Amino acid sequence: MPVAPLKELVDEALAKGYAVPAINVVDELSLRAVVDAAVELRSPLIVQTSVKTVKSVGRDVLKAMFDATVAPVPVPVSLHLDHCPDRAVISSCLEAGWNSVLFDASALPVEENQRQTVEVVAEARTYGAHVEGEIEGITGVEDGVGSDTESARQSLEIATRFVETTGVDVFAPAIGNAHGIYHSLPDLDYQRITDLVAATGIPMALHGGSGLSREQFQDLIGRGCSKVNISTALKVAYMTSSLEHLEQARATNKWDPPSLFVHIHAAVKSMAAEHIEIFGSGGRA
């Protein structure tokens, strides 16, 4: 199936009260695992790539891997560039065929963020691509982007003006969520999602999804978080399954890379399937 427009996926999810899983992959193995989970459960999917992954794997290699993996599958899959403050990388990925990007200018003053986001949206439209925007940094550093210092939350009026002026298709607000591993249950501002969706009419993106409870996910999804980002959970599943298998290989002195790949694939696929079930996206494709 051809790459699916992100806006179509999240707009439908908003209208029907579920969320599309947006999962950050790190290589071909993790890519195939999350796509296999989506196919098995008939779920739409947003495959996300960090700037770090784009640079480490290579833009063209990563896009070729995506195309080869997704072309034969019967479910809609979108390719999204996550948290990118670098305009040159955004332009490069749009040129290569990414069909949505998150321009992360949250470190800039809101007015300058807004001015540049207008330009990014205009550029994306020339490729038929979509844009996610944000004006507040989500706490936590992920793949080298972000800050552990929580930024001030902007007023509903400022956030609404940003969305209306820029024309972004998805908005990522700060609501007490954070990237990385939660060490205690976060105190989330649920009402802010309700207010933002009512004021802007567009879907919200929930960042820092790894580690939230089923109840938290479903409350936020019901309020309009129609794109939910999962990154840390994939990394944990990938690395812990690797560690388990390698420890077993050392204990038995049996070193078989293909069996390691099978083990990792199963763990990452299971993680993706669990989130698909919680988000209510299974059977929607």
Side-chain angles (χ1 to χ4, degrees):
M1 178 176 286
V3 62
L6 177 130
K7 180 173 171 58
E8 288 184 12
L9 298 188
V10 295
D11 282 356
E12 183 171 356
L14 179 63
K16 295 183 179 178
Y18 64 91
V20 182
I23 305 179
N24 284 57
V25 301
V26 296
D27 60 6
E28 184 179 12
L29 182 56
S30 55
L31 168 64
R32 290 190 179 279
V34 300
V35 170
D36 286 349
V39 170
E40 187 171 297
L41 297 176
R42 296 187 299 114
S43 171
L45 175 68
I46 300 165
V47 168
Q48 297 199 149
T49 58
S50 69
V51 175
K52 182 177 180 180
T53 299
V54 171
K55 290 181 175 179
S56 64
V57 176
R59 182 200 71 169
D60 294 339
V61 172
L62 193 54
K63 182 58 165 56
M65 284 165 33
F66 175 84
D67 289 342
T69 302
V70 170
V73 306
V75 300
V77 183
S78 184
L79 179 60
H80 180 74
L81 177 66
D82 197 20
H83 285 290
C84 183
D86 188 331
R87 295 278 298 273
V89 175
I90 284 177
S91 296
S92 176
C93 286
L94 287 171
E95 180 184 36
W98 268 249
N99 67 317
S100 65
V101 297
L102 166 52
F103 175 48
D104 185 349
S106 58
L108 299 176
V110 175
E111 290 302 321
E112 178 60 17
N113 180 342
Q114 182 171 291
R115 185 190 70 78
Q116 291 199 38
T117 301
V118 167
E119 295 175 352
V120 171
V121 170
E123 180 182 7
R125 295 294 186 258
T126 66
Y127 294 96
H130 299 112
V131 177
E132 179 180 334
E134 67 176 354
I135 56 176
E136 304 140 340
I138 309 298
T139 306
V141 177
E142 182 175 58
D143 287 336
V145 177
S147 171
D148 286 324
T149 302
E150 184 174 4
S151 62
R153 296 181 200 175
Q154 302 294 333
S155 68
L156 179 62
E157 179 184 5
I158 290 173
T160 302
R161 185 186 311 125
F162 176 87
V163 170
E164 292 175 346
T165 301
T166 60
V168 293
D169 305 286
V170 184
F171 184 66
I175 57 167
N177 48 329
H179 295 128
I181 296 173
Y182 290 106
H183 299 289
S184 61
L185 204 60
D187 181 16
L188 302 176
D189 186 351
Y190 297 92
Q191 186 60 39
R192 190 160 195 239
I193 298 299
T194 301
D195 294 344
L196 283 165
V197 173
T200 66
I202 69 169
M204 297 295 117
L206 174 63
H207 289 234
S210 298
L212 296 185
S213 70
R214 175 184 292 266
E215 292 73 25
Q216 287 175 313
F217 275 131
Q218 294 180 346
D219 191 332
L220 291 165
I221 290 167
R223 294 170 185 265
C225 285
S226 305
K227 172 180 179 284
V228 178
N229 288 18
I230 298 296
S231 177
T232 299
L234 182 141
K235 294 171 184 174
V236 170
Y238 194 112
M239 298 298 291
T240 55
S241 62
S242 301
L243 180 61
E244 291 166 1
H245 192 81
L246 291 171
E247 287 178 339
Q248 182 181 24
R250 182 167 60 182
T252 59
N253 201 28
K254 294 181 179 179
W255 305 95
D256 179 35
S259 66
L260 170 63
F261 303 153
V262 169
H263 197 69
I264 295 170
H265 178 279
V268 173
K269 180 183 174 185
S270 177
M271 177 281 304
E274 179 183 356
H275 286 92
I276 288 169
E277 187 273 323
I278 293 171
F279 299 170
S281 62
R284 305 285 186 171

